[in-house]
Amino acid sequence: MLIRFTVRNYKSFREAAEWSLLASPDTTREADNVVAVPEFGLRLLRSAVVYGANASGKSKLVQALMFMRDFVRNSSRDTQKGDAIPVEPFRLSTVTEHEPSEFEVVFLHEHTLYRYGFTATTSQIVAEWFYYRPKTKEVELFYRDEQGIRLHKTRFSGIIQSLVTGRNIRENALLLSVAAQFNNAIAVKAFEWFDDKLNGLSGLSSDTYQGYSMSQVLKPDQKQRMLDLLRQADLAILDVEVETVDFEQVSATLPSSLRQKIKEQTKQGNKPIIYSDVRTARLQYDASQQAAGAVLFSLTDDESAGTEKFFYLTGPLLDVLDNGMVFVVDELDSRLHPNLVARIVALFNSRTLNPHNAQLLFNTHNSNLLDNSSFRRDQIWFTEKDVFGASSLYSLSDFTGVRKDGRYEDYYLRGKYGAVPILGDFSHPFTPHESDNAR
């Protein structure tokens, strides 16, 4: 589970911003929305939502966490010496534009608490640190800066010690990623969390996860569960079928690099499967309004954008809940009805339906969710930009005098919590001005 994520000097975040899933002392909705971790004395939230005006930093916050995940996963295997690190500092300040960006995450994985972070410029890792807490005391596993790398004598010995002594760690590669690649047991466990437990996607585009949902339709049990979700969402879909194309039929039309990548990602001995479309089945009725069979539609060409998005979302949604993952979604509410989004949130905020303690972190403009029956005050977050273009992140629980049964939505839209646009006079572009009359 995610405990805390901190980012500094990345995109619109100039100063440090901390996104915490630690529950406050408040006991509202304790039974469902909070997970107790008594061995570490923690209470963790099952979900968190971020509100803010357009361009306030909501998406940049998600992008920062996903950058950290992707860089941990790929820095040792997909980059070469001299490759630029795809990090972007806050560029609206002459002070920060050349300073390193900083990322740190604290998480719980298989009964062990980890704290890991790094600072980086586009050319090098400036600092990197890794600690863990198997019981009560936090132990330093390694610390890296421009002066060198300090390793734990027993837990990071052997080949990792040899690589560090021989200065064979690339300046643009993370030591955690390298150590995991060389099967250091503790590094492998931490890497597993980034690779298997931290799942992020864009609610604006299904390109990165539609293939996964299509593949799940080919599994009878998963297909039935996906259909159940579609029916409960009032989409009146009886069945779904996935259309596939033989790889050899289309391979000639694909770029050589993509052909090779598809082959590499396919298990040896199996032909690559290319998914072309999904067919949805809906009831057809006769003149007496009696069911007369089913009609097939193309999900891409015939169904609504919301239906298409929710279908593609069902695969990752079930996967996350089944495996206790952290689900980070940019613009979850895009193209989905507010009531449907509320039901998705309710799945995570449920001890019964979410027994593996998956977490949902997302941003939205859907103020209908600002309801004390859905979220505690510490689950509601805001982003706001100052006059210098820098984003800040804060929680509703940071405010004093906010009642547990308060009208969060009303107060938010009225600007009591900030994080709303300061709108000007939209009639101005349509109104003649003195300069126009003087021409």
Side-chain angles (χ1 to χ4, degrees):
M1 297 184 74
L2 178 65
I3 298 173
R4 182 179 71 243
F5 170 65
T6 306
V7 59
R8 181 185 65 81
N9 194 30
Y10 179 76
K11 294 194 173 179
S12 66
F13 288 95
R14 180 179 59 195
E15 305 300 329
E18 181 180 289
W19 201 3
S20 175
L21 274 295
L22 284 169
S24 68
D26 182 9
T27 57
T28 304
R29 301 186 63 82
E30 184 82 11
D32 281 328
N33 292 34
V34 177
V35 178
V37 188
E39 59 264 45
F40 293 107
L42 299 175
R43 294 163 52 253
L44 301 179
L45 300 169
R46 294 181 186 270
S47 64
V49 59
V50 182
Y51 287 89
N54 293 108
S56 64
K58 299 188 306 302
S59 293
K60 298 298 187 289
L61 180 65
V62 171
Q63 290 167 20
L65 182 53
M66 290 301 98
F67 165 79
M68 186 180 192
R69 178 201 65 173
D70 293 343
F71 192 50
V72 169
R73 292 166 66 180
N74 302 321
S75 76
S76 68
R77 62 190 183 194
D78 290 348
T79 59
Q80 302 297 321
K81 183 177 178 60
D83 287 352
I85 298 172
V87 69
E88 183 181 331
F90 181 74
R91 295 164 56 193
L92 298 180
S93 168
T94 58
V95 176
T96 58
E97 64 176 338
H98 301 299
E99 290 185 346
S101 301
E102 181 176 334
F103 308 85
E104 184 182 79
V105 67
V106 181
F107 60 94
L108 189 65
H109 180 52
E110 296 187 358
H111 307 290
T112 300
L113 193 149
Y114 298 88
R115 178 165 67 91
Y116 171 74
F118 61 87
T119 63
T121 65
T122 56
S123 60
Q124 67 173 341
I125 305 300
V126 177
E128 184 181 5
W129 54 95
F130 184 32
Y131 297 80
Y132 86 146
R133 186 179 159 192
K135 294 183 180 178
T136 57
K137 184 180 179 181
E138 185 179 72
V139 178
E140 181 187 276
L141 297 169
F142 67 73
Y143 187 85
R144 169 190 189 180
D145 60 18
E146 293 173 308
Q147 279 68 52
I149 300 175
R150 182 174 65 238
L151 295 174
H152 192 284
K153 292 182 179 179
T154 57
R155 292 173 175 85
F156 271 78
S157 57
I159 190 170
I160 305 303
Q161 179 69 61
S162 300
L163 289 170
V164 169
T165 303
R167 297 186 178 182
N168 290 317
I169 306 297
R170 287 187 284 107
E171 62 182 6
N172 62 347
L174 294 169
L175 177 55
L176 177 67
S177 306
V178 174
Q181 192 174 29
F182 282 93
N183 296 314
N184 175 274
I186 301 177
V188 165
K189 284 298 178 184
F191 186 89
E192 278 178 0
W193 185 81
F194 285 101
D195 201 33
D196 298 333
K197 295 298 183 180
L198 186 55
N199 190 336
L201 56 85
S202 168
L204 298 173
S205 171
S206 60
D207 293 346
T208 57
Y209 56 94
Q210 64 182 28
Y212 178 77
S213 290
M214 287 178 170
S215 70
Q216 296 305 290
V217 173
L218 303 179
K219 303 174 182 179
D221 291 345
Q222 285 298 92
K223 174 183 175 178
Q224 186 57 53
R225 298 175 72 201
M226 294 167 74
L227 284 172
D228 285 344
L229 283 175
L230 294 173
R231 290 171 187 144
Q232 298 307 318
D234 195 28
L235 297 177
I237 293 175
L238 295 177
D239 199 3
V240 291
E241 298 176 359
V242 173
E243 293 186 343
T244 61
V245 178
D246 188 88
F247 176 70
E248 300 304 328
Q249 291 179 322
V250 299
S251 61
T253 64
L254 300 175
S256 58
S257 59
L258 181 57
R259 287 201 304 271
Q260 185 60 32
K261 186 175 182 179
I262 292 174
K263 289 181 178 179
E264 290 173 355
Q265 293 177 346
T266 306
K267 293 181 180 179
Q268 188 175 6
N270 294 334
K271 288 185 177 181
I273 299 175
I274 305 297
Y275 302 107
S276 59
D277 197 5
V278 175
R279 296 290 176 179
T280 59
R282 294 178 176 274
L283 274 178
Q284 185 181 55
Y285 298 89
D286 61 19
S288 302
Q289 303 302 313
Q290 299 298 312
V295 179
L296 293 179
F297 295 88
S298 163
L299 182 66
T300 303
D301 298 332
D302 301 321
E303 297 287 3
S304 71
T307 298
E308 183 179 10
K309 174 183 174 175
F310 187 66
F311 168 76
Y312 288 136
L313 191 61
T314 57
L317 185 60
L318 290 170
D319 183 38
V320 165
L321 288 164
D322 287 345
N323 294 290
M325 301 163 73
V326 182
F327 200 27
V328 188
V329 188
D330 183 23
E331 303 283 3
L332 174 63
D333 60 318
S334 171
R335 299 195 294 272
L336 297 181
H337 192 278
N339 291 354
L340 179 53
V341 176
R343 289 300 180 92
I344 294 173
V345 172
L347 287 175
F348 287 84
N349 286 342
S350 169
R351 187 182 300 272
T352 303
L353 301 177
N354 183 13
H356 304 294
N357 300 326
Q359 291 171 297
L360 174 65
L361 287 72
F362 68 102
N363 56 45
T364 183
H365 289 292
N366 180 3
S367 62
N368 290 347
L369 293 173
L370 276 173
D371 184 337
N372 54 52
S373 66
S374 298
F375 291 113
R376 297 158 44 100
R377 288 169 293 184
D378 50 8
Q379 292 177 285
I380 300 171
W381 291 79
F382 305 102
T383 54
E384 188 168 52
K385 270 189 180 176
D386 63 21
V387 294
F388 303 105
S391 298
S392 60
L393 175 69
Y394 53 95
S395 170
L396 181 58
S397 62
D398 294 336
F399 290 82
T400 58
V402 178
R403 295 167 53 92
K404 297 178 182 180
D405 59 350
R407 296 177 295 163
Y408 302 156
E409 180 181 17
D410 180 43
Y411 289 163
Y412 168 63
L413 292 177
R414 287 164 52 189
K416 291 197 68 171
Y417 309 136
V420 292
I422 301 174
L423 304 176
D425 184 358
F426 273 46
S427 68
H428 194 268
F430 307 97
T431 305
H433 303 288
E434 286 188 16
S435 57
D436 298 327
N437 298 329
R439 290 174 186 166

